[in-house]
Amino acid sequence: MTLDWYQTLFEIIDMRSFSNLWFWIVLAVVWSTASHWVLGVPYDMVLRAKRYGEDAQVDLEDMVRINVNRLLYIGRVSGLWMAGFACFFLTMLLLLGFVYHNEFAQAVFLLALPLSMVGMLSLSTARIIEAENSSGEILFKRMNRHRLYTQIIGMVSIFVTALWGMYQNMSLGPLGG
């Protein structure tokens, strides 16, 4: 009797995405991180500036200005190319996942599509902040609104991913169908 290590490994460790604990941990970490870093600025910095004012507010405004300028520069210089590559990548994942039934591509698509929406939201918020030269209460409002929208996108994404993952797990069964 020969022992097939490859088969044994795949029987012990389920390599399908939606039944793998690591996928769900990654999903939680991704959305936790996305809602904590608002335009590249940690949200605790926004709260500290709102609470203490003065130096903390100056630090926040400087950090937001730096990140807004960085985002807008990247968008202006290579935004069209990045949008083209992102659309290609998302389309490839969509086709591989939902036409050719590759579960890993489905999982990556369900992570990448909502994150690309957050990226577009970040670019839009950066443009608004630059246009109105936001500071003080207006900046707090913009940052809070951006975080709220990111959290809403994240909640919808997690809900849809959980529904799809449960459907996949129930329809394929424990051995991958």
Side-chain angles (χ1 to χ4, degrees), residues 83-112:
F85 283 125
C87 289
F88 168 76
F89 181 69
L90 289 171
T91 303
M92 179 190 68
L93 288 173
L94 179 72
L95 291 173
L96 283 172
F98 298 98
V99 174
Y100 293 106
H101 306 291
N102 182 315
E103 192 173 310
F104 180 74
Q106 291 172 1
V108 174
F109 178 79
L110 290 171
L111 274 170

PDB file of all heavy atoms in Angstrom, residues 83-112:
ATOM      1  N   ALA A  83      -7.154  51.846 -13.843  1.00  0.00           N
ATOM      2  CA  ALA A  83      -8.561  51.480 -14.037  1.00  0.00           C
ATOM      3  C   ALA A  83      -8.688  50.377 -15.082  1.00  0.00           C
ATOM      4  O   ALA A  83      -9.467  49.425 -14.914  1.00  0.00           O
ATOM      5  CB  ALA A  83      -9.372  52.701 -14.443  1.00  0.00           C
ATOM      6  N   GLY A  84      -7.916  50.479 -16.153  1.00  0.00           N
ATOM      7  CA  GLY A  84      -7.938  49.452 -17.188  1.00  0.00           C
ATOM      8  C   GLY A  84      -7.473  48.104 -16.665  1.00  0.00           C
ATOM      9  O   GLY A  84      -8.111  47.070 -16.926  1.00  0.00           O
ATOM     10  N   PHE A  85      -6.364  48.090 -15.924  1.00  0.00           N
ATOM     11  CA  PHE A  85      -5.860  46.839 -15.359  1.00  0.00           C
ATOM     12  C   PHE A  85      -6.828  46.272 -14.321  1.00  0.00           C
ATOM     13  O   PHE A  85      -7.036  45.057 -14.245  1.00  0.00           O
ATOM     14  CB  PHE A  85      -4.474  47.023 -14.745  1.00  0.00           C
ATOM     15  CG  PHE A  85      -3.377  47.100 -15.762  1.00  0.00           C
ATOM     16  CD1 PHE A  85      -2.517  48.178 -15.775  1.00  0.00           C
ATOM     17  CD2 PHE A  85      -3.195  46.097 -16.701  1.00  0.00           C
ATOM     18  CE1 PHE A  85      -1.499  48.261 -16.720  1.00  0.00           C
ATOM     19  CE2 PHE A  85      -2.186  46.161 -17.642  1.00  0.00           C
ATOM     20  CZ  PHE A  85      -1.332  47.251 -17.658  1.00  0.00           C
ATOM     21  N   ALA A  86      -7.424  47.148 -13.515  1.00  0.00           N
ATOM     22  CA  ALA A  86      -8.383  46.691 -12.503  1.00  0.00           C
ATOM     23  C   ALA A  86      -9.603  46.061 -13.171  1.00  0.00           C
ATOM     24  O   ALA A  86     -10.071  44.989 -12.741  1.00  0.00           O
ATOM     25  CB  ALA A  86      -8.801  47.849 -11.608  1.00  0.00           C
ATOM     26  N   CYS A  87     -10.104  46.699 -14.223  1.00  0.00           N
ATOM     27  CA  CYS A  87     -11.252  46.134 -14.944  1.00  0.00           C
ATOM     28  C   CYS A  87     -10.891  44.795 -15.577  1.00  0.00           C
ATOM     29  O   CYS A  87     -11.682  43.848 -15.541  1.00  0.00           O
ATOM     30  CB  CYS A  87     -11.758  47.107 -16.001  1.00  0.00           C
ATOM     31  SG  CYS A  87     -12.588  48.536 -15.285  1.00  0.00           S
ATOM     32  N   PHE A  88      -9.701  44.700 -16.158  1.00  0.00           N
ATOM     33  CA  PHE A  88      -9.241  43.434 -16.737  1.00  0.00           C
ATOM     34  C   PHE A  88      -9.166  42.352 -15.662  1.00  0.00           C
ATOM     35  O   PHE A  88      -9.659  41.234 -15.842  1.00  0.00           O
ATOM     36  CB  PHE A  88      -7.869  43.619 -17.400  1.00  0.00           C
ATOM     37  CG  PHE A  88      -7.203  42.327 -17.775  1.00  0.00           C
ATOM     38  CD1 PHE A  88      -7.613  41.613 -18.891  1.00  0.00           C
ATOM     39  CD2 PHE A  88      -6.179  41.817 -16.994  1.00  0.00           C
ATOM     40  CE1 PHE A  88      -7.010  40.407 -19.228  1.00  0.00           C
ATOM     41  CE2 PHE A  88      -5.572  40.614 -17.327  1.00  0.00           C
ATOM     42  CZ  PHE A  88      -5.989  39.910 -18.445  1.00  0.00           C
ATOM     43  N   PHE A  89      -8.551  42.679 -14.530  1.00  0.00           N
ATOM     44  CA  PHE A  89      -8.373  41.727 -13.438  1.00  0.00           C
ATOM     45  C   PHE A  89      -9.721  41.269 -12.878  1.00  0.00           C
ATOM     46  O   PHE A  89      -9.945  40.076 -12.671  1.00  0.00           O
ATOM     47  CB  PHE A  89      -7.507  42.376 -12.346  1.00  0.00           C
ATOM     48  CG  PHE A  89      -7.220  41.497 -11.174  1.00  0.00           C
ATOM     49  CD1 PHE A  89      -6.389  40.389 -11.299  1.00  0.00           C
ATOM     50  CD2 PHE A  89      -7.761  41.781  -9.934  1.00  0.00           C
ATOM     51  CE1 PHE A  89      -6.112  39.573 -10.212  1.00  0.00           C
ATOM     52  CE2 PHE A  89      -7.491  40.978  -8.840  1.00  0.00           C
ATOM     53  CZ  PHE A  89      -6.669  39.865  -8.979  1.00  0.00           C
ATOM     54  N   LEU A  90     -10.630  42.229 -12.648  1.00  0.00           N
ATOM     55  CA  LEU A  90     -11.946  41.876 -12.113  1.00  0.00           C
ATOM     56  C   LEU A  90     -12.747  41.040 -13.110  1.00  0.00           C
ATOM     57  O   LEU A  90     -13.435  40.090 -12.726  1.00  0.00           O
ATOM     58  CB  LEU A  90     -12.717  43.138 -11.717  1.00  0.00           C
ATOM     59  CG  LEU A  90     -12.196  43.870 -10.486  1.00  0.00           C
ATOM     60  CD1 LEU A  90     -12.898  45.209 -10.318  1.00  0.00           C
ATOM     61  CD2 LEU A  90     -12.362  43.016  -9.240  1.00  0.00           C
ATOM     62  N   THR A  91     -12.660  41.380 -14.398  1.00  0.00           N
ATOM     63  CA  THR A  91     -13.357  40.593 -15.420  1.00  0.00           C
ATOM     64  C   THR A  91     -12.790  39.180 -15.495  1.00  0.00           C
ATOM     65  O   THR A  91     -13.544  38.207 -15.611  1.00  0.00           O
ATOM     66  CB  THR A  91     -13.254  41.290 -16.794  1.00  0.00           C
ATOM     67  OG1 THR A  91     -13.795  42.604 -16.682  1.00  0.00           O
ATOM     68  CG2 THR A  91     -13.997  40.523 -17.860  1.00  0.00           C
ATOM     69  N   MET A  92     -11.471  39.071 -15.426  1.00  0.00           N
ATOM     70  CA  MET A  92     -10.832  37.752 -15.447  1.00  0.00           C
ATOM     71  C   MET A  92     -11.305  36.919 -14.253  1.00  0.00           C
ATOM     72  O   MET A  92     -11.666  35.748 -14.407  1.00  0.00           O
ATOM     73  CB  MET A  92      -9.313  37.909 -15.404  1.00  0.00           C
ATOM     74  CG  MET A  92      -8.554  36.603 -15.398  1.00  0.00           C
ATOM     75  SD  MET A  92      -6.791  36.814 -15.073  1.00  0.00           S
ATOM     76  CE  MET A  92      -6.810  37.344 -13.372  1.00  0.00           C
ATOM     77  N   LEU A  93     -11.328  37.524 -13.066  1.00  0.00           N
ATOM     78  CA  LEU A  93     -11.791  36.801 -11.883  1.00  0.00           C
ATOM     79  C   LEU A  93     -13.260  36.419 -12.001  1.00  0.00           C
ATOM     80  O   LEU A  93     -13.654  35.307 -11.615  1.00  0.00           O
ATOM     81  CB  LEU A  93     -11.577  37.647 -10.623  1.00  0.00           C
ATOM     82  CG  LEU A  93     -10.142  37.812 -10.151  1.00  0.00           C
ATOM     83  CD1 LEU A  93     -10.081  38.808  -9.003  1.00  0.00           C
ATOM     84  CD2 LEU A  93      -9.551  36.480  -9.739  1.00  0.00           C
ATOM     85  N   LEU A  94     -14.068  37.330 -12.528  1.00  0.00           N
ATOM     86  CA  LEU A  94     -15.497  37.063 -12.697  1.00  0.00           C
ATOM     87  C   LEU A  94     -15.709  35.866 -13.627  1.00  0.00           C
ATOM     88  O   LEU A  94     -16.483  34.954 -13.312  1.00  0.00           O
ATOM     89  CB  LEU A  94     -16.199  38.311 -13.259  1.00  0.00           C
ATOM     90  CG  LEU A  94     -17.691  38.188 -13.510  1.00  0.00           C
ATOM     91  CD1 LEU A  94     -18.440  38.147 -12.188  1.00  0.00           C
ATOM     92  CD2 LEU A  94     -18.177  39.350 -14.350  1.00  0.00           C
ATOM     93  N   LEU A  95     -15.015  35.857 -14.754  1.00  0.00           N
ATOM     94  CA  LEU A  95     -15.161  34.757 -15.705  1.00  0.00           C
ATOM     95  C   LEU A  95     -14.621  33.443 -15.148  1.00  0.00           C
ATOM     96  O   LEU A  95     -15.283  32.400 -15.235  1.00  0.00           O
ATOM     97  CB  LEU A  95     -14.455  35.095 -17.019  1.00  0.00           C
ATOM     98  CG  LEU A  95     -15.093  36.212 -17.835  1.00  0.00           C
ATOM     99  CD1 LEU A  95     -14.220  36.566 -19.028  1.00  0.00           C
ATOM    100  CD2 LEU A  95     -16.493  35.835 -18.270  1.00  0.00           C
ATOM    101  N   LEU A  96     -13.419  33.487 -14.577  1.00  0.00           N
ATOM    102  CA  LEU A  96     -12.853  32.268 -14.001  1.00  0.00           C
ATOM    103  C   LEU A  96     -13.734  31.725 -12.874  1.00  0.00           C
ATOM    104  O   LEU A  96     -13.932  30.516 -12.757  1.00  0.00           O
ATOM    105  CB  LEU A  96     -11.449  32.524 -13.459  1.00  0.00           C
ATOM    106  CG  LEU A  96     -10.326  32.605 -14.468  1.00  0.00           C
ATOM    107  CD1 LEU A  96      -9.037  33.049 -13.783  1.00  0.00           C
ATOM    108  CD2 LEU A  96     -10.120  31.272 -15.149  1.00  0.00           C
ATOM    109  N   GLY A  97     -14.247  32.634 -12.053  1.00  0.00           N
ATOM    110  CA  GLY A  97     -15.012  32.204 -10.888  1.00  0.00           C
ATOM    111  C   GLY A  97     -16.411  31.732 -11.203  1.00  0.00           C
ATOM    112  O   GLY A  97     -16.825  30.656 -10.763  1.00  0.00           O
ATOM    113  N   PHE A  98     -17.142  32.520 -11.972  1.00  0.00           N
ATOM    114  CA  PHE A  98     -18.563  32.250 -12.104  1.00  0.00           C
ATOM    115  C   PHE A  98     -18.946  31.609 -13.438  1.00  0.00           C
ATOM    116  O   PHE A  98     -20.036  31.077 -13.560  1.00  0.00           O
ATOM    117  CB  PHE A  98     -19.356  33.531 -11.849  1.00  0.00           C
ATOM    118  CG  PHE A  98     -19.144  34.044 -10.448  1.00  0.00           C
ATOM    119  CD1 PHE A  98     -18.233  35.054 -10.189  1.00  0.00           C
ATOM    120  CD2 PHE A  98     -19.817  33.484  -9.380  1.00  0.00           C
ATOM    121  CE1 PHE A  98     -18.012  35.517  -8.900  1.00  0.00           C
ATOM    122  CE2 PHE A  98     -19.610  33.926  -8.086  1.00  0.00           C
ATOM    123  CZ  PHE A  98     -18.709  34.944  -7.847  1.00  0.00           C
ATOM    124  N   VAL A  99     -18.078  31.639 -14.434  1.00  0.00           N
ATOM    125  CA  VAL A  99     -18.336  30.921 -15.684  1.00  0.00           C
ATOM    126  C   VAL A  99     -17.637  29.565 -15.643  1.00  0.00           C
ATOM    127  O   VAL A  99     -18.221  28.541 -15.976  1.00  0.00           O
ATOM    128  CB  VAL A  99     -17.887  31.751 -16.913  1.00  0.00           C
ATOM    129  CG1 VAL A  99     -18.032  30.947 -18.188  1.00  0.00           C
ATOM    130  CG2 VAL A  99     -18.697  33.045 -17.004  1.00  0.00           C
ATOM    131  N   TYR A 100     -16.355  29.575 -15.196  1.00  0.00           N
ATOM    132  CA  TYR A 100     -15.584  28.333 -15.148  1.00  0.00           C
ATOM    133  C   TYR A 100     -15.601  27.671 -13.772  1.00  0.00           C
ATOM    134  O   TYR A 100     -14.911  26.682 -13.559  1.00  0.00           O
ATOM    135  CB  TYR A 100     -14.150  28.594 -15.613  1.00  0.00           C
ATOM    136  CG  TYR A 100     -14.100  28.960 -17.076  1.00  0.00           C
ATOM    137  CD1 TYR A 100     -13.870  30.275 -17.469  1.00  0.00           C
ATOM    138  CD2 TYR A 100     -14.307  28.002 -18.056  1.00  0.00           C
ATOM    139  CE1 TYR A 100     -13.848  30.624 -18.807  1.00  0.00           C
ATOM    140  CE2 TYR A 100     -14.287  28.344 -19.392  1.00  0.00           C
ATOM    141  CZ  TYR A 100     -14.056  29.646 -19.766  1.00  0.00           C
ATOM    142  OH  TYR A 100     -14.034  29.988 -21.090  1.00  0.00           O
ATOM    143  N   HIS A 101     -16.337  28.235 -12.819  1.00  0.00           N
ATOM    144  CA  HIS A 101     -16.580  27.645 -11.491  1.00  0.00           C
ATOM    145  C   HIS A 101     -15.312  27.386 -10.685  1.00  0.00           C
ATOM    146  O   HIS A 101     -15.203  26.372  -9.999  1.00  0.00           O
ATOM    147  CB  HIS A 101     -17.391  26.359 -11.625  1.00  0.00           C
ATOM    148  CG  HIS A 101     -18.648  26.552 -12.398  1.00  0.00           C
ATOM    149  ND1 HIS A 101     -19.705  27.281 -11.910  1.00  0.00           N
ATOM    150  CD2 HIS A 101     -18.991  26.155 -13.655  1.00  0.00           C
ATOM    151  CE1 HIS A 101     -20.660  27.317 -12.816  1.00  0.00           C
ATOM    152  NE2 HIS A 101     -20.258  26.641 -13.900  1.00  0.00           N
ATOM    153  N   ASN A 102     -14.358  28.318 -10.736  1.00  0.00           N
ATOM    154  CA  ASN A 102     -13.159  28.223  -9.919  1.00  0.00           C
ATOM    155  C   ASN A 102     -13.440  28.940  -8.598  1.00  0.00           C
ATOM    156  O   ASN A 102     -13.624  30.156  -8.562  1.00  0.00           O
ATOM    157  CB  ASN A 102     -11.978  28.864 -10.652  1.00  0.00           C
ATOM    158  CG  ASN A 102     -10.688  28.759  -9.889  1.00  0.00           C
ATOM    159  OD1 ASN A 102     -10.649  28.998  -8.691  1.00  0.00           O
ATOM    160  ND2 ASN A 102      -9.629  28.421 -10.591  1.00  0.00           N
ATOM    161  N   GLU A 103     -13.470  28.176  -7.516  1.00  0.00           N
ATOM    162  CA  GLU A 103     -13.866  28.738  -6.222  1.00  0.00           C
ATOM    163  C   GLU A 103     -12.874  29.774  -5.699  1.00  0.00           C
ATOM    164  O   GLU A 103     -13.271  30.770  -5.086  1.00  0.00           O
ATOM    165  CB  GLU A 103     -14.053  27.612  -5.203  1.00  0.00           C
ATOM    166  CG  GLU A 103     -14.742  28.082  -3.940  1.00  0.00           C
ATOM    167  CD  GLU A 103     -15.085  26.943  -3.009  1.00  0.00           C
ATOM    168  OE1 GLU A 103     -15.691  25.959  -3.462  1.00  0.00           O
ATOM    169  OE2 GLU A 103     -14.755  27.064  -1.817  1.00  0.00           O
ATOM    170  N   PHE A 104     -11.588  29.566  -5.936  1.00  0.00           N
ATOM    171  CA  PHE A 104     -10.591  30.539  -5.492  1.00  0.00           C
ATOM    172  C   PHE A 104     -10.814  31.883  -6.196  1.00  0.00           C
ATOM    173  O   PHE A 104     -10.741  32.941  -5.566  1.00  0.00           O
ATOM    174  CB  PHE A 104      -9.175  30.010  -5.750  1.00  0.00           C
ATOM    175  CG  PHE A 104      -8.106  30.962  -5.306  1.00  0.00           C
ATOM    176  CD1 PHE A 104      -7.829  31.129  -3.964  1.00  0.00           C
ATOM    177  CD2 PHE A 104      -7.395  31.707  -6.228  1.00  0.00           C
ATOM    178  CE1 PHE A 104      -6.850  32.017  -3.538  1.00  0.00           C
ATOM    179  CE2 PHE A 104      -6.415  32.600  -5.817  1.00  0.00           C
ATOM    180  CZ  PHE A 104      -6.142  32.751  -4.467  1.00  0.00           C
ATOM    181  N   ALA A 105     -11.099  31.859  -7.493  1.00  0.00           N
ATOM    182  CA  ALA A 105     -11.355  33.097  -8.235  1.00  0.00           C
ATOM    183  C   ALA A 105     -12.626  33.774  -7.718  1.00  0.00           C
ATOM    184  O   ALA A 105     -12.694  35.004  -7.643  1.00  0.00           O
ATOM    185  CB  ALA A 105     -11.466  32.811  -9.730  1.00  0.00           C
ATOM    186  N   GLN A 106     -13.626  32.985  -7.359  1.00  0.00           N
ATOM    187  CA  GLN A 106     -14.844  33.563  -6.775  1.00  0.00           C
ATOM    188  C   GLN A 106     -14.513  34.294  -5.479  1.00  0.00           C
ATOM    189  O   GLN A 106     -14.984  35.418  -5.248  1.00  0.00           O
ATOM    190  CB  GLN A 106     -15.870  32.460  -6.489  1.00  0.00           C
ATOM    191  CG  GLN A 106     -16.465  31.812  -7.706  1.00  0.00           C
ATOM    192  CD  GLN A 106     -17.319  30.616  -7.348  1.00  0.00           C
ATOM    193  OE1 GLN A 106     -17.486  30.271  -6.175  1.00  0.00           O
ATOM    194  NE2 GLN A 106     -17.867  29.961  -8.369  1.00  0.00           N
ATOM    195  N   ALA A 107     -13.715  33.657  -4.642  1.00  0.00           N
ATOM    196  CA  ALA A 107     -13.358  34.246  -3.349  1.00  0.00           C
ATOM    197  C   ALA A 107     -12.576  35.546  -3.530  1.00  0.00           C
ATOM    198  O   ALA A 107     -12.850  36.551  -2.871  1.00  0.00           O
ATOM    199  CB  ALA A 107     -12.553  33.246  -2.523  1.00  0.00           C
ATOM    200  N   VAL A 108     -11.605  35.529  -4.438  1.00  0.00           N
ATOM    201  CA  VAL A 108     -10.806  36.739  -4.674  1.00  0.00           C
ATOM    202  C   VAL A 108     -11.678  37.833  -5.280  1.00  0.00           C
ATOM    203  O   VAL A 108     -11.559  39.005  -4.916  1.00  0.00           O
ATOM    204  CB  VAL A 108      -9.583  36.426  -5.569  1.00  0.00           C
ATOM    205  CG1 VAL A 108      -8.829  37.690  -5.929  1.00  0.00           C
ATOM    206  CG2 VAL A 108      -8.655  35.449  -4.866  1.00  0.00           C
ATOM    207  N   PHE A 109     -12.582  37.469  -6.183  1.00  0.00           N
ATOM    208  CA  PHE A 109     -13.487  38.458  -6.782  1.00  0.00           C
ATOM    209  C   PHE A 109     -14.368  39.104  -5.713  1.00  0.00           C
ATOM    210  O   PHE A 109     -14.565  40.322  -5.716  1.00  0.00           O
ATOM    211  CB  PHE A 109     -14.363  37.792  -7.850  1.00  0.00           C
ATOM    212  CG  PHE A 109     -15.349  38.733  -8.484  1.00  0.00           C
ATOM    213  CD1 PHE A 109     -14.939  39.608  -9.475  1.00  0.00           C
ATOM    214  CD2 PHE A 109     -16.673  38.756  -8.091  1.00  0.00           C
ATOM    215  CE1 PHE A 109     -15.834  40.498 -10.064  1.00  0.00           C
ATOM    216  CE2 PHE A 109     -17.577  39.635  -8.663  1.00  0.00           C
ATOM    217  CZ  PHE A 109     -17.155  40.499  -9.660  1.00  0.00           C
ATOM    218  N   LEU A 110     -14.895  38.288  -4.799  1.00  0.00           N
ATOM    219  CA  LEU A 110     -15.763  38.817  -3.743  1.00  0.00           C
ATOM    220  C   LEU A 110     -14.998  39.684  -2.739  1.00  0.00           C
ATOM    221  O   LEU A 110     -15.610  40.444  -1.981  1.00  0.00           O
ATOM    222  CB  LEU A 110     -16.488  37.673  -3.037  1.00  0.00           C
ATOM    223  CG  LEU A 110     -17.553  36.980  -3.896  1.00  0.00           C
ATOM    224  CD1 LEU A 110     -18.070  35.725  -3.200  1.00  0.00           C
ATOM    225  CD2 LEU A 110     -18.699  37.925  -4.225  1.00  0.00           C
ATOM    226  N   LEU A 111     -13.684  39.601  -2.737  1.00  0.00           N
ATOM    227  CA  LEU A 111     -12.853  40.526  -1.950  1.00  0.00           C
ATOM    228  C   LEU A 111     -12.472  41.755  -2.780  1.00  0.00           C
ATOM    229  O   LEU A 111     -12.522  42.887  -2.298  1.00  0.00           O
ATOM    230  CB  LEU A 111     -11.568  39.838  -1.497  1.00  0.00           C
ATOM    231  CG  LEU A 111     -11.592  39.040  -0.215  1.00  0.00           C
ATOM    232  CD1 LEU A 111     -10.308  38.246  -0.059  1.00  0.00           C
ATOM    233  CD2 LEU A 111     -11.810  39.925   0.973  1.00  0.00           C
ATOM    234  N   ALA A 112     -12.079  41.529  -4.032  1.00  0.00           N
ATOM    235  CA  ALA A 112     -11.511  42.606  -4.852  1.00  0.00           C
ATOM    236  C   ALA A 112     -12.544  43.612  -5.342  1.00  0.00           C
ATOM    237  O   ALA A 112     -12.257  44.808  -5.388  1.00  0.00           O
ATOM    238  CB  ALA A 112     -10.765  42.007  -6.041  1.00  0.00           C
TER     239      ALA A 112
END
